[in-house]
Every structure is written in C-alpha cells, then in structure tokens.
C-alpha cells in the first residue's frame, strides 16, 4: 500500500531479509484490518512511515514513537520491531499492537504532555486487546506483559492509572467489544478526541450502568470466559487468609478500594473442620454499602475452576456443610458506583 519503508540492521543481510519480508506483510495486514474497523490514517500526511527492524533489549517486542518536542507530531513517528521476537508466534499481535498506537495518535496529537499521559492506560488496554484481530494471530491473550500487570484489571477506573496499569485492562476492552461491538471501543477514542477525561471516555462508550456490567465482567473473567487462563492466573496476586473464628477479617490490603475496582481475599477452610451448625457471615459496613461496594463471591469447583456463589450481595453467609468441603473461596469486594472525578476510595474493615 505504499505506507511503509522497512529499515533493518544489526544482523547479517541473509538473516534480515526474511524478517523484512515478514514484517512488511504483517504491518500491511494490520493497516488493512484496522481500516476495515473504521480507523483512519488521515492524521499523518507524510508517507511512508519507517519500520525499524533491529535488536532490542530482551523483553521489548516493539514500539511506536514520535519525536519531541511537545505537542507531539505524528509525522515524526516511526516503529521499532525487535529482531529477537520474529521466532515468536505472537509477532502478528506485536505488529497490530504497535499499529494501533499509531492510529490512537489521531485522537491525542496536539495535546499537552500531561493530558496525553492521562490516556496512556486507555491506549495500552485497547492495544493489548487488539492482537486478536490480527489475521495471523494465535488464540487467546498474546500480550506478554499482561500477567506481570494483571493487578491493573482490579485497580479500578480513576485518574491515577498509569500506562502499565493499562496492560491489565485488556479484559475490559475485550468485554466491551464482545458485548457491544468493536465500534464501542472506537467510540472510547472518539470521546478522547472530544476531550473527555479518560474514565468518562470509557464509561460513556458503554451502554449500561457499571453496577450491572462490572459484576458481569468480573464473573465472566473469573470463569475464564473472557480469556481462557489457568484458574490461579485469574485473581490478583494476594495472600491466603485462614479462617480464625471471630478474628477473621476480609480486608487486609494496605491500598484502598477505588472506583470500579476490586479487592480479593482467598479463604481456604479446613476440610471437615466445622460443625453442621457453623456459619461464616461476612457483612460490609453500612457506610461502605451505601457507597456502592458489594461482595462478589466465588468458590473453586471439583476441577479447580472458579464458580459463582450467588452473585453480588451486601452479606455473604457460608454454611458449615460448604465450609467442610475444604474448597478455596475467592471473595471480591467490588465498587459498583462512583461519580466524577472518580477520586473516591474506601477501606472496608
């Protein structure tokens, strides 16, 4: 399509030539795929754009960069693709991930640095979802940074989110696309271009109240219906809590719960350790309930997968017969309501 020029170095020509051919095809595939989804390249007026293929540090797959000074100009932009990634099946995902960053520049070019930075998590979240659209993509979640930053999924929606938190938001963008269509993800970026703050840009593109879609997303995620990940790769990284009679507390995180976020507690009862009349009751403080915080409980089934335990509630009662099964419980405290500027926080105890 005349949009790319491939520049390669750092290895013998015989090694680089097939890489150049390969990345040229993948970048062109990415361009035509995203144009078919309604994204425009009209924000860049100088073509072709460079794709630099060369060795980069381990762990770095690629990048899209624009030259300083601020405000950034997309006509100075170029891509880098790490030669060390060409043997990986995730290369098609890397190509479209970086191409999406170029397309996203249409919605933020001309912004001051701090303003553009406030949308970084939105860009990374969407770009971590988009590899599934690449024609040669491998199945499932291909962004290698997701597991390292998966806690970002549970950190809520608030102004303090960083670019790295965005890698963990891939399930959110996939959920939006799967339920309401790819156009609703594009609407998020239309809202960004219109100057809406990042959280509002996302929420206003979702045609349902967070009190409905957020618990639904969490439930589908934990059941492996968003990404088919191993059960222990789904929750945030937290320690296990034993049940200690009246001394049990479901809240140990040093960081507060943020708007549309979730806090997780693992509870593993001792098998056959409780009388038939025993019950474990967990109840949120009334002030926290009034703020829209709810309990969303799960329990591992016989195969080790998470299963629902009744949906969201203010109070959770676990009977002794269920405790005696000795199966692990995963209890979320989730924030289902909040208002702009989304700076609230809660510490249920």
């Amino acid at each position: 399509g005349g949009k790319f020029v491939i520049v390669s170095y750092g290895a013998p020509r015989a090694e680089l030539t097939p890489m150049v051919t390969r990345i040229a095809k993948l970048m062109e595939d990415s361009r035509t795929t995203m144009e078919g989804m309604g994204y425009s390249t009209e924000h860049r007026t100088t073509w072709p754009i460079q794709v630099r293929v060369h060795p980069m540090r381990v762990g770095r797959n690629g990048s899209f960069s624009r030259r300083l000074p601020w405000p950034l100009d997309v006509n100075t932009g170029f891509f880098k693709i790490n030669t060390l990634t060409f043997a990986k099946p995730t290369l098609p995902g890397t190509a479209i991930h970086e191409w999406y960053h170029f397309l996203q520049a249409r919605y933020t070019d001309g912004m001051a640095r701090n303003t553009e930075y406030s949308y970084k998590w939105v860009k990374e979240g969407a770009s971590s979802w988009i590899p599934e659209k690449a024609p040669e993509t491998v199945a499932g979640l291909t962004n290698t940074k997701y597991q390292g930053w998966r806690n970002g999924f549970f950190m809520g929606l608030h102004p303090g989110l960083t670019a790295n938190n965005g890698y963990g938001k891939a399930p959110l963008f996939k959920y939006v696309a799967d339920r309401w269509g790819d156009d609703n993800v594009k609407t998020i970026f239309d809202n960004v271009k219109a100057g809406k703050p990042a959280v509002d840009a996302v929420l206003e593109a979702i045609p349902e109240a967070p009190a409905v879609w957020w618990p639904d997303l969490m439930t589908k995620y934990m059941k492996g219906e968003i990404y088919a990940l191993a059960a222990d790769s789904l929750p945030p990284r937290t320690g296990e809590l034993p049940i200690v009679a009246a001394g049990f507390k479901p809240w140990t995180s040093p960081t507060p719960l943020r708007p549309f976020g979730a806090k997780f507690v693992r509870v593993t009862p001792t098998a056959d350790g409780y009388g038939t009349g025993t019950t474990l009751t967990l109840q949120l403080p009334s002030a926290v309930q009034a703020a829209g915080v709810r309990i969303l409980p799960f329990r591992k089934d016989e195969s080790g997968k998470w299963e629902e335990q009744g949906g969201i509630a203010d109070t959770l009662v676990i009977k002794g017969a269920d405790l005696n099964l000795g199966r692990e419980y995963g209890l979320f405290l989730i924030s289902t309501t909040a208002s702009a500027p989304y700076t609230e926080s809660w510490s249920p105890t």
Side-chain angles (χ1 to χ4, degrees):
K3 296 293 187 182
F4 304 105
V5 58
I6 315 298
V7 180
S8 60
Y9 53 92
R13 176 178 291 273
E15 294 180 19
L16 291 172
T17 298
M19 294 183 185
V20 168
T21 302
R22 178 74 172 135
I23 200 61
K25 180 182 185 302
L26 293 178
M27 295 303 293
E28 183 65 10
D29 284 349
S30 299
R31 181 184 71 83
T32 57
T33 297
M34 299 299 288
E35 284 185 1
M37 294 172 66
Y39 290 88
S40 172
T41 60
E42 65 182 14
H43 55 303
R44 183 174 173 112
T45 58
T46 302
W47 297 95
I49 187 171
Q50 278 193 4
V51 182
R52 302 176 184 178
V53 177
H54 62 91
M56 300 167 67
R57 64 177 172 82
V58 174
R60 189 78 182 270
N61 295 329
S63 66
F64 169 69
S65 302
R66 291 159 290 167
R67 294 191 181 94
L68 295 171
W70 291 87
L72 300 179
D73 179 2
V74 74
N75 285 303
T76 68
F78 57 93
F79 299 96
K80 292 182 178 181
I81 305 293
N82 192 346
T83 55
L84 301 178
T85 67
F86 274 73
K88 297 180 179 181
T90 54
L91 183 62
T94 296
I96 200 169
H97 176 111
E98 301 306 340
W99 178 247
Y100 201 9
H101 280 323
F102 160 74
L103 296 175
Q104 292 162 358
R106 176 174 182 264
Y107 303 91
T108 58
D109 258 18
M111 290 182 177
R113 180 176 61 180
N114 288 346
T115 303
E116 179 165 342
Y117 278 4
S118 72
Y119 298 111
K120 286 281 192 179
W121 68 267
V122 179
K123 292 182 174 184
E124 292 298 352
S127 292
S128 297
W129 153 72
I130 203 63
E132 69 178 56
K133 301 296 183 180
E136 297 183 38
T137 194
V138 295
L141 180 62
T142 65
N143 192 301
T144 55
K145 288 190 175 182
Y146 174 75
Q147 280 300 329
W149 292 98
R150 77 172 189 257
N151 281 9
F153 176 55
F154 308 96
M155 292 180 66
L157 303 178
H158 58 86
L161 294 173
T162 67
N164 284 333
N165 299 146
Y167 293 115
K169 297 292 186 188
L172 167 60
F173 289 87
K174 179 170 173 56
Y175 176 81
V176 171
D178 288 352
R179 274 203 66 186
W180 296 288
D182 299 341
D183 283 349
N184 284 62
V185 177
K186 185 175 177 293
T187 298
I188 294 173
F189 289 98
D190 291 333
N191 291 340
V192 168
K193 189 171 180 61
K196 296 184 182 295
V199 177
D200 289 308
V202 172
L203 294 179
E204 291 182 20
I206 300 176
E208 192 172 76
V212 178
W213 66 257
W214 179 221
D216 183 58
L217 167 55
M218 287 288 297
T219 299
K220 286 181 167 61
Y221 172 82
M222 286 295 289
K223 293 170 68 177
E225 296 175 3
I226 304 296
Y227 291 114
L229 301 172
D232 288 332
S233 297
L234 289 165
R237 293 181 173 87
T238 55
E240 182 177 300
L241 280 179
I243 295 178
V244 186
F248 172 76
K249 282 192 173 184
W251 189 264
T252 61
S253 173
T255 58
L257 178 65
R258 303 302 301 270
F260 313 119
K263 289 294 181 181
F264 185 71
V265 177
R266 294 178 185 269
V267 180
T268 305
T270 302
D272 300 319
Y274 305 90
T276 55
T278 300
T279 58
L280 173 65
T281 301
L282 306 177
Q283 185 170 13
L284 294 173
S286 57
V288 175
Q289 293 181 32
V293 178
R294 297 291 184 268
I295 301 170
L296 182 61
F298 297 87
R299 186 181 71 188
K300 283 188 176 179
D301 64 16
E302 291 180 350
S303 69
K305 295 182 178 180
W306 295 105
E307 59 182 0
E308 300 172 71
Q309 292 294 294
I312 59 171
D314 301 329
T315 303
L316 173 66
V317 178
I318 306 175
K319 296 180 179 180
D322 292 322
L323 293 172
N324 284 332
L325 294 175
R327 294 182 192 161
E328 181 179 0
Y329 282 80
L331 311 178
F332 280 101
L333 302 182
I334 66 172
S335 160
T336 61
T337 60
S339 56
Y342 311 106
T343 54
E344 304 102 315
S345 62
W346 303 273
S347 297
T349 55

